[in-house]
Amino acid sequence: MHHFQYRGNELYCEDVPIQAIAQKVGTPFYLYSHATLTRHFKAFSDAFEGLDRLVCFSAKANTTLAVLKLLAGMGGGLDIVSGGELYRGLKAGFPPDRIVYSGVGKRMDEIDFALKTGILMFNIESLEELEMIQQRAMALDIKARIAIRVNPDVDPKTHPYISTGLKKNKFGIDTENALLAYQKASRMSHITVVGIDCHIGSQITEIRPFEDALKSLKDLIQTLKNQGIDIRYIDMGGGLGITYHEEAPPHPSEYAAAIARVLGNLKIRLVLEPGRVIVGNAGILVCQVLYRKTGPAKEFVITDAGMNDLIRPMLYHAYHEALPVVRSDRESFTADIVGPICESGDFLAQDRTIGYVQSGDLMAFMSAGAYGFVMSSNYCSRPRAAEVMVRGNRFEVIKQRETFEDLVAGESAPDWING
Ligand SMILES: *Cc1c(COP(=O)(O)O)cnc(C)c1O
């Protein structure tokens, strides 16, 4: 459920007509619904009622400060994958002891930053990283809390670019070597083993892969216990899918029930890292139709948003529902909806039947709250879009549209260029 609905023929975000926002802010812009964000976070967290749990929102799905601040205010934690995300998380008010740090390529300066901050734990993805963290912790005289990210080799049955828990993927450490890593870690002077972690992929629409992964982690916890290594946190990662089109992912309550069932009476603190399921359907991309054109093979709708604003259609062949912001009685038609960029991959939808739009009309691309703005770029020197949040009948720009000056900020040409 989300709060982007038609009233009559006009698309609203909560109590605000989207057209009114476009008039004030210009296009393209990302638009987030406060009520939807709140509702999704609460539904997810409440699903685990009765379990000792910490819901760490996965920052990489959407790192806009206002979004983070809202989730921090609801008692959420944060899953980060870079120093930049740690910086944003702290700025948004997440307490360090609710921050977990994942990622295969943590740099030394990022590790130092996280150690000094005193985050809850590092999710370690290789033996070399473990050694690096021990070294840095020793140098700074801080004890590092760690979990090993285990690659349980389960097939999440999702797009290959977002499946992460298969043997062939770069993520985590396979079960056998994880055991060795734990033994090693438990002997290190500046490492405290606290957890076990996995994250098997994204946009997962079945329960089974999660259950299989958790069973595998549970077995490992028992093996570790037998060797005197005690695990206090089990981090299940994120990955629960959402409905973009016709997918029917499990409700967070089904997901939580399955996890509770597999956990049984294991006394442990559960960490979860949902991203998409919190923000995906809480945000949309609004743009304007520039032109229509009819080619010999296809009809095109050309919008002022392109792959630099929303790369998911090009990158994953992702489906985003396309809606006219103001519905008309005229007949729907089938077209490719494309951006202004000089790439044939610059499409937002292909062979899509959409409600009638013409030059000047506004269109909304739904379910764009996750991996939308965060993946946008300045390709073709296009300033990044504005971001707006609605709460009830209010709206506010939470990130200004970039200017041409922003595009060249930090650039310089040496004086010998033309010498
Ligand atoms: C991307 C990511 C997540 C979030 O995944 P979603 O599919 O958006 O829920 C969680 N944990 C890790 C380690 C990730 O890389």
Side-chain angles (χ1 to χ4, degrees):
M1 234 301 282
H2 58 71
H3 293 81
F4 300 94
Q5 308 291 341
Y6 283 104
R7 293 190 188 169
N9 283 328
E10 252 205 275
L11 191 62
Y12 275 63
C13 176
E14 301 189 22
D15 297 325
V16 182
I18 290 172
Q19 194 169 212
I21 302 173
Q23 271 158 10
K24 184 107 187 264
V25 176
T27 53
F29 63 93
Y30 276 90
L31 180 60
Y32 307 108
S33 152
H34 186 283
T36 313
L37 287 165
T38 309
R39 181 194 174 98
H40 287 179
F41 183 83
K42 197 169 178 315
F44 191 91
S45 181
D46 288 356
F48 292 89
E49 196 85 73
L51 291 180
D52 183 12
R53 87 287 192 186
L54 175 63
V55 178
C56 292
F57 172 65
S58 178
K60 78 178 195 291
N62 190 317
T63 40
T64 305
L65 282 178
V67 172
L68 294 185
K69 200 162 182 166
L70 170 56
L71 299 174
M74 292 187 75
L78 197 66
D79 167 46
I80 57 163
V81 294
S82 72
E85 287 186 352
L86 177 54
Y87 175 80
R88 280 179 173 277
L90 295 173
K91 231 175 149 59
F94 287 95
D97 64 0
R98 281 197 245 139
I99 299 177
V100 296
Y101 189 175
S102 310
V104 291
K106 302 177 187 80
R107 277 192 335 219
M108 193 167 95
D109 60 311
E110 294 175 311
I111 290 169
D112 286 2
F113 181 20
L115 281 169
K116 287 180 196 156
T117 301
I119 61 165
L120 178 61
M121 62 183 182
F122 291 87
N123 289 334
I124 287 184
E125 308 223 13
S126 66
L127 279 176
E128 291 195 3
E129 182 194 336
L130 174 64
E131 272 154 24
M132 170 67 108
I133 291 179
Q134 152 72 3
Q135 266 178 35
R136 295 315 303 163
M138 198 151 64
L140 297 170
D141 197 22
I142 297 170
K143 274 218 158 190
R145 284 174 296 272
I146 66 115
I148 304 282
R149 175 166 175 181
V150 178
N151 181 333
D153 193 30
V154 299
D155 185 356
K157 303 196 176 67
T158 184
H159 191 284
Y161 289 5
I162 49 177
S163 100
T164 54
L166 287 167
K167 266 196 183 122
K168 63 178 179 189
N169 296 131
K170 69 176 175 180
F171 299 97
I173 305 180
D174 64 279
T175 315
E176 217 167 284
N177 284 306
L179 194 55
L180 299 174
Y182 273 113
Q183 287 161 351
K184 200 161 179 185
S186 67
R187 290 192 298 269
M188 285 176 159
S189 62
H190 286 72
I191 296 285
T192 310
V193 172
V194 294
I196 191 165
D197 166 54
C198 74
H199 170 72
I200 55 173
S202 200
Q203 184 54 14
I204 299 169
T205 53
E206 292 174 35
I207 290 282
R208 185 65 193 276
F210 292 114
E211 290 174 332
D212 291 349
L214 183 54
K215 278 180 197 150
S216 160
L217 258 49
K218 219 184 140 186
D219 290 346
L220 195 52
I221 289 174
Q222 188 56 49
T223 312
L224 291 168
K225 201 181 171 82
N226 296 342
Q227 301 185 3
I229 300 171
D230 209 27
I231 300 293
R232 284 155 48 201
Y233 297 92
I234 189 163
D235 183 339
M236 274 303 290
L240 190 58
I242 63 169
T243 303
Y244 286 97
H245 189 203
E246 286 166 336
E247 308 91 333
H251 188 271
S253 61
E254 291 170 67
Y255 169 72
I259 287 179
R261 210 160 43 236
V262 180
L263 278 181
N265 54 13
L266 186 67
K267 285 277 162 288
I268 203 152
R269 179 142 217 233
L270 184 61
V271 178
L272 300 139
E273 303 172 348
R276 192 187 308 268
V277 71
I278 307 293
V279 292
N281 280 318
I284 66 173
L285 172 64
V286 181
C287 61
Q288 190 175 39
V289 175
L290 296 175
Y291 307 105
R292 282 183 57 174
K293 110 173 176 180
T294 308
K298 277 193 174 199
E299 177 92 20
F300 295 98
V301 173
I302 302 157
T303 65
D304 65 359
M307 60 178 263
N308 76 297
D309 299 298
L310 181 64
I311 202 172
R312 299 192 67 260
M314 179 199 207
L315 192 58
Y316 314 119
H317 272 267
Y319 181 101
H320 290 270
E321 190 178 11
L323 297 174
V325 169
V326 180
R327 283 194 292 213
S328 98
D329 298 334
R330 297 179 66 176
E331 219 174 311
S332 56
F333 62 102
T334 302
D336 279 15
I337 308 169
V338 301
I341 287 172
C342 316
E343 303 257 356
S344 290
D346 179 27
F347 56 83
L348 297 172
Q350 285 180 305
D351 300 314
R352 185 72 63 80
T353 301
I354 51 169
Y356 184 86
V357 286
Q358 62 184 8
S359 172
D361 288 350
L362 297 169
M363 288 190 79
F365 286 86
M366 309 304 285
S367 316
Y371 309 104
F373 183 85
V374 283
M375 281 191 169
S376 64
S377 77
N378 291 125
Y379 187 34
C380 292
S381 280
R382 289 168 47 80
R384 266 177 290 210
E387 292 179 283
V388 180
M389 190 181 281
V390 165
R391 180 175 191 175
N393 58 11
R394 287 175 286 182
F395 71 87
E396 192 157 317
V397 173
I398 56 172
K399 172 133 186 358
Q400 296 290 337
R401 182 181 310 288
E402 284 180 342
T403 63
F404 289 163
E405 293 90 85
D406 292 332
L407 291 179
V408 293
E411 287 189 45
S412 59
D415 52 15
W416 39 256
I417 282 280
N418 297 314

